[in-house]
Amino acid sequence: MKSCSAMETTSFIKFSLMSLIWIIVLMNEIHGYKACLETERTALLEIKSFFISVSDIGYDDKILPSWVGEDDGMSSDCCDDWEGVKCNATTRRVMQLSLNETIKFNYSSGSGSALLLNMSLFHPFEELQRLDLPGNWFTGIYENRAYDSFGSLKQLKMLNLGDNFFNDSILPYLNTLTSLTTLILSDNSIEGSRTKQGLANLRYLQVLDLSGNFNITSGSLTRLGRLLR
């Protein structure tokens, strides 16, 4: 009898736990609440770690301070609470990332070395439509499968790489972003000698900002204008 009673108690506990789980799930559906995807949350924290690793020592707490994980002793929804992150209201996937001037240097110490942008950091964001990375001292692209890294961002429509140190070598990589409608390359080191060939596949491009690239020639600007027709 005791054995039977124990089994009944165990079954009741399991049933109660399952019922509670279903109630929580149902309430979340009713109220439309969904947290950001764990894979994308992890990827965002990796991006934060990257920016901290390439910044000067002493700026850790100033770089994306709202991006916190369980290791920080607190947790928050990356879609609703993290600066510079905007998500799709239905899928809760990241749609927009604004990482303006995120890298921090101590200018008085003379630091601020050139950096390579690793686009593979953004691979997990399958619905990313806008990416802003201006003012981060990037000079080029990390070469490990760089073409694939750019090409995987199939929904990216706006890319802002202004106020960096990119030159014409970045153009073939940008050419794989065939869904782009807006490309901002202002205040870089673009000359334009390879721009027509480098951006020939961007048939949806409507806005191309090359202002502040002082080495670009008038002939290059004329050729670039034809890309937007």
Side-chain angles (χ1 to χ4, degrees):
M1 294 293 293
K2 290 184 178 180
S3 176
C4 182
S5 177
M7 291 178 61
E8 290 177 352
T9 301
T10 301
S11 298
F12 176 76
I13 292 174
K14 289 182 178 179
F15 175 78
S16 299
L17 288 174
M18 289 299 298
S19 298
L20 179 60
I21 291 172
W22 278 110
I23 290 173
I24 293 173
V25 171
L26 180 60
M27 292 299 293
N28 284 340
E29 291 296 326
I30 291 174
H31 292 285
Y33 177 79
K34 294 180 181 177
C36 61
L37 297 184
E38 187 60 31
T39 54
E40 295 195 348
R41 178 189 182 88
T42 300
L44 289 171
L45 291 175
E46 289 179 357
I47 290 173
K48 177 179 179 177
S49 295
F50 164 75
F51 279 108
I52 290 176
S53 70
V54 297
S55 296
D56 278 348
I57 296 174
Y59 287 95
D60 294 22
D61 59 343
K62 295 179 175 61
I63 297 174
L64 304 172
S66 62
W67 294 25
V68 293
E70 295 179 357
D71 293 341
D72 301 301
M74 60 186 73
S75 184
S76 57
D77 184 6
C78 59
C79 285
D80 296 330
D81 304 319
W82 291 15
E83 60 183 295
V85 180
K86 184 176 181 180
C87 298
N88 183 300
T90 302
T91 65
R92 303 300 281 179
R93 282 189 172 275
V94 174
M95 295 178 59
Q96 179 176 326
L97 282 176
S98 298
L99 299 167
N100 304 16
E101 299 181 356
T102 305
I103 293 175
K104 306 297 182 184
F105 288 129
N106 183 356
Y107 297 99
S108 62
S109 68
S111 59
S113 58
L115 300 169
L116 297 180
L117 173 60
N118 185 354
M119 289 298 293
S120 65
L121 290 169
F122 304 98
H123 278 185
F125 308 108
E126 297 179 2
E127 294 186 18
L128 188 64
Q129 296 182 16
R130 175 170 178 167
L131 177 59
D132 294 301
L133 289 165
N136 282 301
W137 294 77
F138 292 124
T139 63
I141 302 299
Y142 181 65
E143 292 289 342
N144 185 19
R145 299 184 65 187
Y147 289 100
D148 293 340
S149 296
F150 273 82
S152 66
L153 301 175
K154 299 184 182 302
Q155 296 195 42
L156 192 65
K157 299 184 182 304
M158 179 175 180
L159 177 61
N160 183 354
L161 297 176
D163 196 18
N164 283 287
F165 295 94
F166 292 113
N167 56 33
D168 285 21
S169 65
I170 193 179
L171 301 179
Y173 302 115
L174 298 176
N175 196 39
T176 65
L177 295 171
T178 55
S179 61
L180 275 186
T181 60
T182 301
L183 176 58
I184 299 175
L185 293 171
S186 57
D187 299 302
N188 278 279
S189 300
I190 306 294
E191 296 181 9
S193 59
R194 298 165 55 187
T195 308
K196 184 177 181 180
Q197 296 82 357
L199 302 180
N201 289 340
L202 305 187
R203 60 184 183 276
Y204 298 112
L205 195 64
Q206 299 174 10
V207 177
L208 176 61
D209 186 352
L210 287 162
S211 60
N213 287 275
F214 298 110
N215 292 326
I216 198 164
T217 65
S218 58
S220 296
L221 286 173
T222 300
R223 290 193 296 271
L224 291 170
R226 296 185 187 128
L227 291 173
L228 303 179
R229 294 177 184 175

